Amino acid sequence: MDLRQLRYFLGIVEHGSISRAADALRVAQPALSLHLKRLEEEFGCQLVLRTARGVVPTESGRRLAQRAAALIESMDGLRDEVRAVEAVPAGPATVGIPTSLGPVLTVPLALAVRRTHPQIRLRVVEGLSGHMLEWVLSGQLDLALVFGTKEMGGLETEPVARERLHLVGPADDPLLQDRSSIPFAEALALPLILPGRPHGVREEVEHAALLARADVTVALEIDALEQIKALVAEGCGYTVLSERVARYGTVAERLAGLPIAEPQIERSILLAHASGRPMPVAARAAHGILRDILAGLTRDGAWR
């Protein structure tokens, strides 16, 4: 058994057909069948079932496919690491950025990568912070920015900034006038428009409410940041955002905010990547650039 046989086996499982796998892998069909037979002899069990529609893996075959994919990915990562000593960063790099951070990070990251490492094929994916965690763990993202302070299994995280959360309402709301802050208990009693779980802000609010032994009054759940702000501007309720997010967008002038106090709520911004999977060379280069951009924003006072 060698890596070539494992790659051939994964090709058969992926295509569901020996003939289609042979075409994709550019290997003669009889040779591919022979490799499969030898692999089954090596393990002493049947790895695929042949049906009228093609081949499907047995339970043993599915287990082998899962472990083989991880092994091959690890070997490919090792090859990248060895070559990276003197190599110019090149190839794909997939970075996840939460929607609320996209306006200040996506364009600067893309410009910096393009200017310094033009051979990197950068892909930026924006979405909810909770989804970023899932996508990093599953291998869909090389690295991502996430929110939170709790332990995240399977991830290596690096704190890069913190920001305080505000209660945000209509600009002309008397409740928000002539005050420097609003107690958390008072904010919780208001009708809140919040994203659903696993959004970072929602989890931070609910965690703080749990510690305060209080309930969160959620009037509307909407997983779209600009729409939440538009509804708040129309007087449909209040929301919880960082001051930076509240200041950005088409309805920003129609919004006002107060820092939440007693207790104040802060959230951490973390750079995360899978702990058990080496980052490709291109992704490591993008990681360094993103870290520098975040450090610059911190020095400029955008975050702490």
Side-chain angles (χ1 to χ4, degrees):
M1 181 179 59
D2 57 31
L3 286 178
R4 181 180 58 174
Q5 285 180 314
L6 294 179
R7 291 183 190 275
Y8 289 168
F9 177 69
L10 286 176
I12 293 171
V13 172
E14 178 182 355
H15 291 90
S17 164
I18 294 178
S19 60
R20 288 197 294 270
D23 291 338
L25 296 169
R26 297 182 181 180
V27 178
Q29 186 172 335
L32 199 59
S33 297
L34 182 59
H35 279 293
L36 176 60
K37 179 181 178 182
R38 288 176 176 171
L39 203 56
E40 290 181 327
E41 291 174 350
E42 175 77 16
F43 284 97
C45 62
Q46 189 173 5
L47 297 175
V48 299
L49 295 174
R50 293 163 175 81
T51 70
R53 296 184 177 180
V55 297
V56 293
T58 63
E59 181 64 26
S60 298
R62 283 195 293 271
R63 178 65 62 85
L64 175 60
Q66 292 172 353
R67 296 295 296 274
L71 179 60
I72 290 172
E73 184 177 15
S74 178
M75 291 299 295
D76 289 343
L78 177 60
R79 184 182 297 110
D80 279 348
E81 284 192 355
V82 172
R83 291 174 176 172
V85 177
E86 297 179 323
V88 175
T94 308
V95 180
I97 296 179
T99 303
S100 61
L101 298 180
V104 294
L105 291 178
T106 297
V107 171
L109 174 63
L111 288 174
V113 169
R114 188 64 181 165
R115 288 167 179 165
T116 58
H117 301 297
Q119 297 184 48
I120 291 179
R121 300 192 305 276
L122 178 68
R123 181 186 177 207
V124 176
V125 178
E126 292 192 13
L128 298 182
S129 175
H131 294 161
M132 296 295 162
L133 296 174
E134 300 170 9
W135 295 339
V136 170
L137 289 171
S138 67
Q140 297 179 64
L141 297 176
D142 295 314
L143 67 143
L145 282 166
V146 297
F147 297 115
T149 56
K150 61 184 180 182
E151 189 70 23
M152 302 175 188
L155 294 177
E156 289 188 17
T157 59
E158 173 188 354
V160 290
R162 291 183 64 82
E163 58 183 3
R164 188 174 179 182
L165 297 182
H166 289 54
L167 178 76
V168 177
D172 57 355
D173 193 323
L175 179 67
L176 305 178
Q177 308 302 316
D178 301 322
R179 306 174 69 174
S180 59
S181 64
I182 185 168
F184 183 48
E186 185 177 347
L188 285 181
L190 299 171
L192 297 177
I193 304 174
L194 296 174
R197 304 179 190 91
H199 194 280
V201 164
R202 177 67 176 267
E203 291 188 345
E204 291 290 348
V205 171
E206 291 189 339
H207 178 67
L210 180 64
L211 294 178
R213 298 182 179 180
D215 295 324
V216 181
T217 305
V218 181
L220 287 170
E221 279 192 4
I222 299 178
D223 291 342
L225 183 59
E226 291 307 309
Q227 284 82 340
I228 288 177
K229 291 159 66 176
L231 288 168
V232 171
E234 292 294 332
C236 295
Y238 301 82
T239 193
V240 177
L241 298 170
S242 68
E243 183 181 19
R244 170 189 53 78
V245 175
R247 287 201 310 257
Y248 175 84
T250 58
V251 298
E253 294 182 355
R254 299 168 57 197
L255 299 175
L258 286 175
I260 295 173
E262 302 174 29
Q264 68 181 32
I265 307 177
E266 288 190 334
R267 64 176 178 179
S268 295
I269 303 173
L270 312 170
L271 262 174
H273 65 274
S275 56
R277 186 171 57 248
M279 272 200 297
V281 176
R284 288 207 304 273
H287 181 279
I289 291 172
L290 187 54
R291 180 195 290 151
D292 290 343
I293 293 173
L294 289 162
L297 290 171
T298 303
R299 287 194 299 269
D300 294 342
W303 289 313
R304 294 198 295 104

